[in-house]
């Protein structure tokens, strides 16, 4: 059994932030205290000013014998930011998690029916659809739970999850100056999950979001079902959005009148946030389909991914803005897929499933018209979308034997 986590971020509406500047002020103070603590601790441990560490490296560094050092730093740093004594106490208790999340965990209670209010800092009441935040040294405040939030929480409860704790978070935006943007309450849900005994494979080829993501279900070494997402219409819509944005951006560059330029820029920004939302919803939909297929068939999810170097190369390379957004979408897709696979106990693997190497003889294939690939040595040919799935078929038993358990790429916080 593994302890797995999912996080719901509930936005604090802008109206409340405006009416209650002390909320943003508190969130920023907590964030600054946490950052100073983490920075000081890591400097003491590594001797470096701002060490760049992966989660695994952090995990190795934050050994129990550093606990006292961590506590001492928290005691020094937190009062400087005017934080209540017990906030520092929570931070000391969760000294490692604070470094990982750059936030102080708050105790939280979820009320589904008529349970007694236990006076915890974050009180999530499903009946009245309200989240109350209190005991943080400022007057309490409440935010409304949207229908979608309530539905999300109920789904987690049905899956046997429990609310473990919460964070008061503030997003930090890097512009010319560091500014603080969105405020949110994050609710961390946890549950125990047993790894699925895998009996099938769902192979996913995610190289190009603009060509669609191809997935195939393989059972007993045979390709049983294929599906390509998103549909053509959605891809077309996205392309249209990209074109609109680039043409507007060209107009902005030519515009000499500053008032008119500002109006154009506003339109560009509106379209960009629309594009962001669209890509996000496409990603959510694709991941949902993959997870459903894998759950129905107790399948291992095998994702073909280019290695990170190639990915970085493409990101930094001379790609048009359009492709960069698709790449970001792919990054989101991988993260989300991995997270949900873990949540449902589905094994998740990343393997190279080639689309340009012949699955029959291993020679290089050449691309012909309409994305048909032909092997220059043995003459085998198939649609480019199907080649990675045939690689999964070829390696079917080897992949199943790997039987990799659910393995969090990043160390999961040890809340309890
Ligand atoms: Zn061949």
């Amino acid at each position: 059994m593994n302890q797995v986590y999912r996080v719901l971020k509930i936005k604090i509406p802008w109206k409340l932030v405006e009416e209650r500047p002390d909320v943003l002020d508190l969130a920023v103070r907590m964030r600054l205290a946490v950052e100073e603590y983490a920075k000081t601790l890591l400097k003491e441990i590594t001797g470096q000013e701002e060490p760049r560490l992966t989660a695994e490296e952090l995990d190795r560094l934050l050994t129990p014998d550093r606990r006292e050092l961590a506590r001492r730093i928290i005691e020094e740093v937190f009062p400087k930011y005017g934080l209540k004594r017990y906030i520092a106490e929570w931070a000391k208790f969760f000294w490692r998690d604070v470094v990982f999340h750059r936030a102080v965990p708050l105790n939280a209670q979820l009320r589904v029916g008529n349970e007694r209010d236990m006076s915890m800092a974050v009180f999530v009441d499903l009946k009245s659809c309200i989240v109350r935040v209190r005991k943080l040294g400022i007057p309490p405040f409440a935010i409304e739970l949207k229908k979608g939030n309530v539905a999300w929480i109920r789904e987690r409860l049905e899956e046997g999850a429990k609310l473990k704790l919460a964070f008061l978070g503030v997003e930090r935006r890097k512009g010319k100056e560091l500014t603080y943007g969105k405020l949110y309450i994050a609710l961390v849900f946890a549950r125990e999950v047993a790894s699925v005994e895998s009996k099938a494979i769902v192979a996913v080829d995610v190289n190009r979001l603009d060509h669609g993501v191809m997935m195939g279900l393989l059972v007993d070494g045979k390709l049983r079902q294929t599906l390509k997402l998103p549909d053509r219409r959605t891809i077309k819509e996205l392309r249209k959005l990209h074109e609109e944005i680039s043409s507007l951006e060209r107009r902005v560059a030519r515009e000499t009148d500053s008032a008119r330029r500002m109006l154009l820029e506003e339109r560009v920004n509106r379209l960009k946030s629309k594009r962001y939302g669209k890509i996000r919803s496409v990603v959510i939909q694709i991941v949902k389909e993959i997870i459903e297929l894998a759950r129905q068939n107790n399948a291992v999810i095998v994702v073909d991914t280019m290695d990170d170097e190639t990915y970085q190369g493409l990101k930094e390379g001379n790609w048009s803005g359009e492709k960069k957004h698709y790449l970001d979408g792919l990054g989101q897709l991988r993260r989300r897929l991995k997270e949900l696979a873990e949540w449902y106990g589905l094994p998740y693997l990343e393997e190279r499933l080639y689309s340009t190497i012949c699955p029959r003889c291993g020679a290089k294939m050449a691309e012909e018209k309409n994305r048909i690939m032909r092997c220059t040595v043995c003459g085998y040919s198939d649609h480019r979308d199907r080649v990675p799935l045939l690689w999964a078929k070829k390696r079917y038993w080897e992949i199943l034997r790997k039987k990799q358990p659910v393995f969090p790429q990043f160390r999961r916080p040890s809340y309890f």
Side-chain angles (χ1 to χ4, degrees), residues 131-149:
V131 180
R132 296 188 190 285
V133 185
R134 58 230 178 155
K135 306 190 141 200
L136 296 179
I138 58 170
F141 63 94
I143 38 181
E144 219 177 295
L145 275 174
K146 296 236 167 74
K147 265 190 195 154
N149 296 146

Side-chain angles (χ1 to χ4, degrees), residues 287-295 301 337 340-341 344 346:
V287 169
K288 191 173 165 233
E289 298 272 351
I290 296 170
I291 293 285
E292 264 171 23
L293 192 61
R295 287 182 73 193
I301 296 172
L337 193 54
L340 285 187
Y344 289 112
L346 299 164

Side-chain angles (χ1 to χ4, degrees), residues 358 360-361 375 378 380:
C358 175
R360 190 182 283 170
C361 76
C375 176
C378 75
Y380 178 80

